Amino acid sequence: MHVLRIFPDCSSSFATRSVLIRKLPRCTNSYLSSGQLVRRYHENATLKDAAAVVVGAGPAGIAVVGNLLEEVKDDGKIVWVDEQFQGGRINKFYREVPGNTAVKLFVDYAEALKPFRHILNTAHKPNAITELEKLPQSGTCSLSYAGDMLNLLTAGLRQHPRIQTVEGKATSAHLDLESKRWTLTTNSQPSSIIAPLVVYCTGAFPSTTPLPSSSPPIIPLDTALTPSILSTTIPRDQPFTIGVIGGSHSAILVLMNLYRLATTSHPLLKIKWFTRHPTLRYAVQKDGYIQYDNTGLKGKAAEFGRTQLDGDVLLTSEAGKFITRIDCSGGKEQEWTLLEKELKDCQGVVQAVGYTPAPVPEVSIGDDKPLVKLEKDARTGAFYVEGEKQKPIGLFGAGIAFPEEVVTPEGEREYAVGMWKFMKYLRKVVPEWVEASKA
Ligand SMILES: Cc1cc2nc3c(=O)[nH]c(=O)nc-3n(C[C@H](O)[C@H](O)[C@H](O)COP(=O)(O)OP(=O)(O)OC[C@H]3O[C@@H](n4cnc5c(N)ncnc54)[C@H](O)[C@@H]3O)c2cc1C
């Protein structure tokens, strides 16, 4: 179950809302290149007749918009808000990351919906999808291929007559209980959009945890996942020891990148690997399903883990010449002591300790109870007011921030994260969302 914590400062959101309702002109000052001051007045525009608003244009937002185009009838307009419309984090930060899912699943994602197929059929060839189709379909590929495919779909969707895009940030959402309409506020134009259905696909960013004060500077995980930037961040001609904290997919990819640097351009590089799990977990193909599909290592990370890092393998592997494992399995106190001791002589540290949902636009409901605690049903994707699960409010979430909860055949609960998994899930739930928003 996801809990969405709603803003502590309700007064500011009230103020914003009353301004929006009265549609006060906003005044901004800017300079022309000639240096002449120009005063501009922008009328805050409200878009009143949207069928749905989607916040976020990563893989989840793209899939939600495509599904809504199929499910919302009567030519209802779908408003789509993002600051960049660049395929989300996969395209922005992970283009040099090896994919962990089969190429075929990226193709399946791109071909899953009628509006997507129309975009592919009318796009000039060769294009991102023809490039994907050329690759061995059961193998994996660089995420740059997926990024290009997401860009192709985004560009096509932005041309669709029923889609209106807003380049900006969604800042708040308010539900009017009488009309059952949301007003989504943006920092752009239109500055507010009224619709019965709102979907948050706002993504997640690398988590960080407190480190001892003696720790070296942090090298961001996004940098460590991008070899071309990582190689210029770490000096080549002087000894450099880097700490890597974490034991799951991203941490193994970082270790793989660092090992490659150490064996090529950065011979003076050493790595201290802080992990709570000296042995690794892999996704395993079983009869008709993949065990540890959402938690185990896959693709190149699995291969590197198995051959270079796992348990005793590290003691004799090539990577073991550069990587020293610091066993943090003895509990939090011991882990802190080890971090204090071992990070002292490092010159940089990478934290690969998971991903945190991005802050969502503030939510308020009704005039008498603006501050509400929302929870989310991780099966249906619907948010609801705490304790009122039966009452749909027309607010939903998807993607890495709000994934579907699944139960594995072994009875373990996992979150289903991956582009094809988002698509499969959305095919199932978006018709229910549209139906619920009519009530
Ligand atoms: C290292 C790594 C490797 C992965 N590899 C794979 C893989 O091989 N295959 C696979 O299928 N999946 C993979 N995934 C999982 C998943 O597909 C990605 O994490 C994907 O980026 C999640 O998509 P998303 O749309 O949920 O979020 P994001 O890609 O983070 O997109 C969120 C979007 O919302 C926008 N946004 C946020 N807040 C606002 C706001 N208030 N207003 C307007 N816009 C907003 C952001 O700007 C962004 O564009 C990987 C994940 C990671 C971390």
Side-chain angles (χ1 to χ4, degrees):
M1 179 181 296
H2 303 284
V3 176
L4 193 68
R5 300 221 170 272
I6 309 304
F7 54 98
D9 175 12
C10 67
S11 58
S12 64
S13 95
F14 262 134
T16 312
R17 205 169 67 240
S18 63
V19 167
L20 289 167
I21 287 166
R22 281 185 276 136
K23 288 210 280 178
L24 289 180
R26 194 178 61 194
C27 164
T28 56
N29 294 330
S30 63
Y31 287 92
L32 286 184
S33 52
S34 66
Q36 183 191 9
L37 179 66
V38 175
R39 187 168 288 245
R40 288 189 188 146
Y41 288 93
H42 293 298
E43 189 73 22
N44 275 337
T46 300
L47 202 152
K48 289 186 178 143
D49 57 351
V53 193
V54 180
V55 182
I62 294 169
V64 169
V65 166
N67 275 283
L68 286 171
L69 276 177
E70 284 202 345
E71 295 302 326
V72 173
K73 308 293 177 213
D74 305 328
D75 290 340
K77 194 178 272 289
I78 292 145
V79 180
W80 194 14
V81 189
D82 194 289
E83 282 179 292
Q84 288 161 330
F85 290 98
Q86 279 178 12
R89 291 187 69 86
I90 284 225
N91 191 49
K92 194 168 171 193
F93 295 113
Y94 308 142
R95 286 187 66 87
E96 294 181 32
V97 171
N100 58 29
T101 43
V103 170
K104 182 178 183 315
L105 296 183
F106 293 141
V107 176
D108 288 348
Y109 171 98
E111 294 177 343
L113 301 166
K114 204 170 158 198
F116 286 8
R117 290 193 291 275
H118 177 76
I119 293 168
L120 303 183
N121 291 338
T122 51
H124 290 294
K125 293 186 175 65
N127 58 44
I129 196 76
T130 57
E131 291 304 309
L132 271 170
E133 281 165 349
K134 277 188 212 156
L135 301 173
Q137 297 296 293
S138 57
T140 54
C141 64
S142 155
L143 288 181
S144 61
Y145 286 90
D148 290 344
M149 179 268 282
L150 295 169
N151 273 342
L152 179 70
L153 292 176
T154 304
L157 288 171
R158 295 189 77 180
Q159 303 293 321
H160 197 286
R162 285 176 58 200
I163 290 173
Q164 176 163 347
T165 54
V166 180
E167 273 182 43
K169 189 172 176 167
T171 50
S172 64
H174 174 74
L175 177 65
D176 178 79
L177 287 173
E178 209 174 304
S179 65
K180 294 191 177 164
R181 292 284 186 276
W182 287 93
T183 300
L184 188 98
T185 310
T186 77
N187 65 357
S188 182
Q189 293 297 329
S191 58
S192 53
I193 303 133
I194 299 176
L197 200 171
V198 174
V199 190
Y200 284 171
C201 304
T202 38
F205 59 91
S207 309
T208 51
T209 53
L211 291 175
S213 54
S214 54
S215 302
I218 288 176
I219 297 176
L221 178 59
D222 290 336
T223 300
L225 287 172
T226 312
S228 64
I229 302 179
L230 184 63
S231 68
T232 57
T233 306
I234 298 172
R236 289 168 182 235
D237 50 0
Q238 62 194 67
F240 194 92
T241 304
I242 186 167
V244 176
I245 304 172
S248 58
H249 194 74
S250 298
I252 306 303
L253 290 173
V254 171
L255 291 171
M256 192 169 83
N257 289 343
L258 290 168
Y259 167 64
R260 283 198 188 131
L261 291 186
T263 51
T264 54
S265 50
H266 292 65
L268 300 176
L269 179 61
K270 293 279 181 240
I271 301 128
K272 287 189 182 184
W273 175 28
F274 299 84
T275 178
R276 295 175 183 166
H277 307 285
T279 55
L280 301 171
R281 177 187 266 202
Y282 305 92
V284 184
Q285 183 67 55
K286 297 263 173 173
D287 260 359
Y289 77 102
I290 300 172
Q291 188 182 23
Y292 307 131
D293 192 17
N294 294 295
T295 53
L297 298 176
K298 296 189 221 170
K300 289 219 158 49
E303 198 182 306
F304 184 70
R306 218 177 248 121
T307 56
Q308 299 287 338
L309 302 174
D310 202 349
D312 288 346
V313 171
L314 185 69
L315 305 177
T316 53
S317 70
E318 270 303 298
K321 292 179 184 160
F322 306 93
I323 301 173
T324 307
R325 184 169 50 219
I326 316 289
D327 183 352
C328 298
S329 59
K332 288 211 167 156
E333 253 176 57
Q334 198 191 329
E335 179 176 302
W336 188 260
T337 309
L338 284 168
L339 287 169
E340 265 179 333
K341 179 168 170 260
E342 299 288 344
L343 280 177
K344 262 191 212 137
D345 56 2
C346 289
Q347 286 73 51
V349 58
V350 179
Q351 289 185 291
V353 291
Y355 292 82
T356 302
V360 294
E362 299 171 343
V363 177
S364 60
I365 296 184
D367 285 342
D368 54 339
K369 50 172 184 174
L371 273 173
V372 285
K373 190 170 161 197
L374 289 191
E375 294 190 342
K376 184 169 160 288
D377 186 328
R379 298 287 173 89
T380 64
F383 287 105
Y384 56 90
V385 176
E386 189 185 27
E388 298 180 15
K389 198 170 179 178
Q390 302 316 318
K391 285 191 200 162
I393 56 171
L395 180 65
F396 303 89
I400 190 171
F402 305 114
E404 180 185 22
E405 187 185 84
V406 292
V407 181
T408 67
E410 286 80 21
E412 288 185 40
R413 285 176 191 279
E414 290 183 351
Y415 287 115
V417 173
M419 288 170 48
W420 176 242
K421 289 174 188 163
F422 299 157
M423 180 60 82
K424 270 200 308 186
Y425 173 57
L426 290 164
R427 302 270 296 154
K428 194 170 60 183
V429 294
V430 170
E432 294 165 16
W433 297 356
V434 172
E435 206 46 46
S437 71
K438 285 182 196 157

